[in-house]
Amino acid sequence: MRIFCRSLLVIQSLLLLAVAVFAQERTYRVRGAVVSNEVLRDVSELATRAQVVVNGGERRAFIQKDGSFAVDNVKLGDSLLEVTGADYAFPKVRLRITLKEDGRASIAARYVQIGSEWSDDTPVLAYPLRISAAEKYDFFTPRQGFSIIAMFSNPYMLMVGVSLLAVFILPKLQANLDPEALKELQGKKD
């Protein structure tokens, strides 16, 4: 009985080990570089916090000074790759990682518009990826000039205007009142 329990324990351990080994998913490294263009003239202008993000933060990689990046542990299937930075906007890239018959991975990358269907109609990008900036964010808002219309549409100016009308127009209206009505108003004040 004792030998049977030990052999059962050994078999269970081996099964658990086999399940753990076979349950591991294969992951892959996605390599690429951020390249300069007319928007981003020098890649070193990117902030030090610029990152490459896969699937909204599931995997992250920092961009090196030369613009290169490598995102590790990306799973088979479709993923969304984004370059995040404070000063520049980059296009989103759809990654499709598949296995070839010989067991090697194949990465097909395509630009994608957020909110649209992921289609295979767009051209495949070269691998390793070369991503360039689409536009520079402009956080500066120019100061508005003086406008009399804007000044009088301000709620505080409207309140001041109504108060001034009350101060200067109401005494004139009171002077035009009937003398009996005027006596009645003065009687109410006392």
Side-chain angles (χ1 to χ4, degrees), residues 3 8 14 29 61 65 67 69 75 101 104 119 134 168:
I3 295 175
L8 188 61
L14 288 175
R29 173 181 280 186
K65 287 186 179 183
F69 62 86
K75 297 176 186 173
E101 290 178 7
R104 293 185 306 149
S119 69
F168 289 111

Side-chain angles (χ1 to χ4, degrees), residues 29-105:
R29 173 181 280 186
V30 176
R31 293 181 297 119
V34 174
V35 295
S36 60
N37 61 1
E38 60 274 352
V39 176
L40 175 62
R41 301 217 183 273
D42 186 14
V43 178
S44 64
E45 289 179 18
L46 282 174
T48 57
R49 291 182 294 185
Q51 296 181 11
V52 176
V53 179
V54 175
N55 291 338
E58 188 178 294
R59 300 283 176 242
R60 294 179 185 272
F62 287 102
I63 299 171
Q64 305 302 315
K65 287 186 179 183
D66 63 350
S68 64
F69 62 86
V71 183
D72 292 323
N73 301 325
V74 180
K75 297 176 186 173
L76 284 173
D78 289 339
S79 301
L80 181 67
L81 183 133
E82 302 172 83
V83 178
T84 61
D87 298 329
Y88 294 94
F90 292 88
K92 314 279 189 265
V93 177
R94 172 188 157 208
L95 300 174
R96 176 170 280 170
I97 303 175
T98 56
L99 283 178
K100 294 181 181 179
E101 290 178 7
D102 61 358
R104 293 185 306 149

Side-chain angles (χ1 to χ4, degrees), residues 80 91-94 110-114 116-119 122:
L80 181 67
K92 314 279 189 265
V93 177
R94 172 188 157 208
R110 293 178 165 86
Y111 287 128
V112 66
Q113 293 291 329
I114 298 301
S116 64
E117 298 262 339
W118 285 9
S119 69
T122 56

